[in-house]
Amino acid sequence: MLYDNHGREMTYLRLAVTDRCNLRCFYCMPEEGIHYMPEKQLLTWEEMLRIVQQLYVLGLRKVRITGGEPLLRQGIMEFLEELSRLEGLEVCLTSNGVLLEKHIPKLKDYGIRSINLSLDSLDRKRFHQITRRDDFDVVYSAMLRLIEADFKVKINAVVMDGKNEQDILTLAQLTEQYPISVRFIEEMPFNGSGKGSAILNWDFSKIVDHLKSHFGNMQPMAVTYGETALRYQIPGFKGDVGVIAAFSRTFCGTCNRIRLTAMGEVKTCLYDDGVFDLKSFIRQGVSDEEIRQTFITLFGSRPKDGFEAEKNRKGIINESMTSIGG
Ligand code: SAM
C-alpha cells in the first residue's frame, strides 16, 4: 500500500490523458487556447497503462481519466477497455460532454459507472459565453442519456463572480428530478494567464448559505474518506448538492490523490508545480520496481496541504487546468 509521510493512503489516481480541449472555458484557458504539447511529449497509452499497473500493485483503487478533454485523444476507448481488465479498480471519467453521447454504450460495457460532467450553466447563452463554444444542447442531451443509462452522474460547476451565480439555484434544482450530484467548485487560479483568478467572492461558505437561503433545511450528508465535497440533500429531492472548497483547501487532511499530467509529470498536490518528470524517467528504460519505488519516495515527502505545496513552487501559478486535469 502506498502511504504519504502524513499517513494518508494514496489510492486514487487522476490521470490527464491529453492537454487538448474542444472548449475554451475562460476560467481555464485563454481564448486562443494554450500551447499544446506535441503528441510525442505526451505519455503514450502503453506508458500510462504501465504506470497504472504499477500503482495498482501498490494498492490503487480508483483512477479518474481526465485531461484536457479525454474523449479527444485517439485510442481512449481501447485504453479504457484495458483499464477495465484490472479487477477491483474503479475507473471513472471526467468530460465536458461534447463528444460523450455516442460512447455511452461502450463505457457501460467497460464497467465505467461514474462520470463527472462539467456544466457551469443551464442557460444556452451563458454556457456559450463561459465556454466560448455553442455546445450546450449536446452536453445537456449527453447528461440526460447518462442518467437514463443509470450512470452515477456528478455535475461539476465552477462558480464565478458576475458570470454564473444565477445558475447556482437552477443547477441545484436539477437534483429534485434526477438522482445526480451537483457540485459547485470554487474558482482556482489555474487559468493559464499567470494572473490568478478574480477575488474569490463565492467561497464555499457563501455558496452553502445561498443554497440554504433558498432551499431551507438541507441535510448534511456523511463524508467519506478522501471526499472533497461537502454534500447536502434537499428534503424530497432525488439527488444531492455539494460544494468543493478547491481554493480554500479545507479537505487536504484526507487527500488520497496522485496526479499525473499528460506530459507525465507527477504531482503530489494540485497546487505544486510538478515534483517529478516520470515520462523521462520511464524513457530511460527503468524497471517496474523502480517506478513503484519512485512513487514511494515522492509521496514520502509530500507537503501537508495545498498552501504548503503552493509555497514550495518555483514560480507563480501560470498553468491551465487543461494540462493538469483538475
Ligand atoms: N475536459 C474535462 C472536463 O471538462 O470536465 C476534464 C478536464 S477539466 C480541466 C476538469 C475540471 O476542471 C472541470 O470540471 C473544470 O470545470 C475544472 N476547472 C478548470 N479550470 C478551473 C479553475 N480555474 N477553477 C476551478 N475549476 C476549474
Side-chain angles (χ1 to χ4, degrees):
M1 185 63 81
L2 180 62
Y3 286 94
D4 75 3
N5 47 317
H6 306 281
R8 296 174 284 209
E9 270 185 10
M10 305 310 305
T11 54
Y12 175 16
L13 171 67
R14 297 183 64 98
L15 175 60
V17 298
T18 178
D19 56 353
R20 288 148 175 80
C21 194
N22 43 359
L23 299 183
R24 288 287 176 277
C25 303
F26 78 90
Y27 54 81
C28 185
M29 62 172 115
E31 186 151 20
E32 64 279 11
I34 58 161
H35 172 69
Y36 292 134
M37 290 295 149
E39 181 100 12
K40 65 175 183 306
Q41 287 195 33
L42 304 181
L43 286 170
T44 64
W45 293 119
E46 291 73 24
E47 287 166 339
M48 286 188 267
L49 185 62
R50 185 174 175 212
I51 295 166
V52 175
Q53 283 166 338
Q54 295 320 305
L55 285 169
Y56 180 70
V57 172
L58 289 174
L60 192 75
R61 291 196 212 111
K62 175 171 166 182
V63 59
R64 176 169 299 285
I65 304 306
T66 175
E69 174 51 39
L71 297 176
L72 274 179
R73 188 161 175 188
Q74 226 177 353
I76 179 70
M77 297 309 285
E78 292 79 0
F79 180 64
L80 291 171
E81 189 176 11
E82 289 289 341
L83 289 182
S84 73
R85 300 206 172 101
L86 295 172
E87 209 177 313
L89 182 71
E90 185 186 351
V91 182
C92 311
L93 181 74
T94 296
S95 171
N96 59 31
V98 176
L99 302 172
L100 192 59
E101 198 165 328
K102 66 172 187 289
H103 294 301
I104 289 176
K106 266 203 172 159
L107 292 171
K108 202 153 191 198
D109 284 353
Y110 299 159
I112 293 174
R113 292 284 163 267
S114 170
I115 301 210
N116 287 8
L117 192 64
S118 301
L119 181 59
D120 305 311
S121 177
L122 291 180
D123 177 87
R124 187 175 292 109
K125 205 163 135 212
R126 268 198 302 283
F127 178 96
H128 192 173
Q129 281 161 358
I130 293 168
T131 63
R132 302 180 177 120
R133 296 290 184 272
D134 192 13
D135 285 323
F136 174 77
D137 291 337
V138 280
V139 175
Y140 195 74
S141 165
M143 180 195 85
L144 296 178
R145 295 291 92 74
L146 285 174
I147 296 169
E148 268 168 30
D150 254 348
F151 280 86
K152 192 172 153 210
V153 178
K154 294 185 201 161
I155 302 293
N156 286 336
V158 181
V159 178
M160 294 152 289
D161 196 34
K163 294 284 196 290
N164 69 341
E165 58 275 67
Q166 56 279 62
D167 289 291
I168 297 174
L169 299 180
T170 48
L171 282 162
Q173 195 70 46
L174 283 176
T175 67
E176 180 171 21
Q177 191 184 352
Y178 300 116
I180 59 175
S181 291
V182 173
R183 292 126 44 101
F184 299 99
I185 308 176
E186 287 179 352
E187 186 178 359
M188 292 178 273
F190 300 98
N191 52 29
S193 77
K195 293 197 197 111
S197 38
I199 297 163
L200 191 69
N201 210 349
W202 284 90
D203 70 356
F204 70 101
S205 57
K206 184 166 168 181
I207 300 169
V208 171
D209 288 348
H210 183 57
L211 288 165
K212 282 185 176 162
S213 70
H214 185 79
F215 292 110
N217 63 335
M218 304 192 303
Q219 302 302 311
M221 296 170 70
V223 180
T224 55
Y225 190 89
E227 189 163 329
T228 52
L230 291 169
R231 288 163 66 208
Y232 299 86
Q233 189 156 34
I234 301 168
F237 282 25
K238 292 187 176 146
D240 59 82
V241 293
V243 183
I244 302 181
F247 187 72
S248 305
R249 287 160 258 187
T250 54
F251 44 72
C252 301
T254 59
C255 179
N256 58 357
R257 290 161 162 74
I258 304 160
R259 287 185 165 83
L260 191 59
T261 70
M263 280 72 75
E265 192 79 22
V266 178
K267 287 166 75 73
T268 62
C269 173
L270 176 58
Y271 282 85
D272 71 34
D273 48 0
V275 294
F276 190 72
D277 177 1
L278 189 60
K279 180 189 64 199
S280 303
F281 186 64
I282 285 187
R283 290 182 186 177
Q284 287 164 23
V286 298
S287 67
D288 290 346
E289 170 67 34
E290 284 170 297
I291 295 175
R292 294 198 296 272
Q293 192 52 52
T294 297
F295 278 106
I296 293 168
T297 306
L298 293 173
F299 281 88
S301 60
R302 189 184 187 216
K304 73 173 186 308
D305 59 30
F307 295 103
E308 190 178 318
E310 188 175 353
K311 209 166 70 203
N312 292 347
R313 289 175 67 98
K314 291 176 279 303
I316 55 158
I317 293 176
N318 59 3
E319 315 91 290
S320 158
M321 196 67 98
T322 195
S323 46
I324 303 175

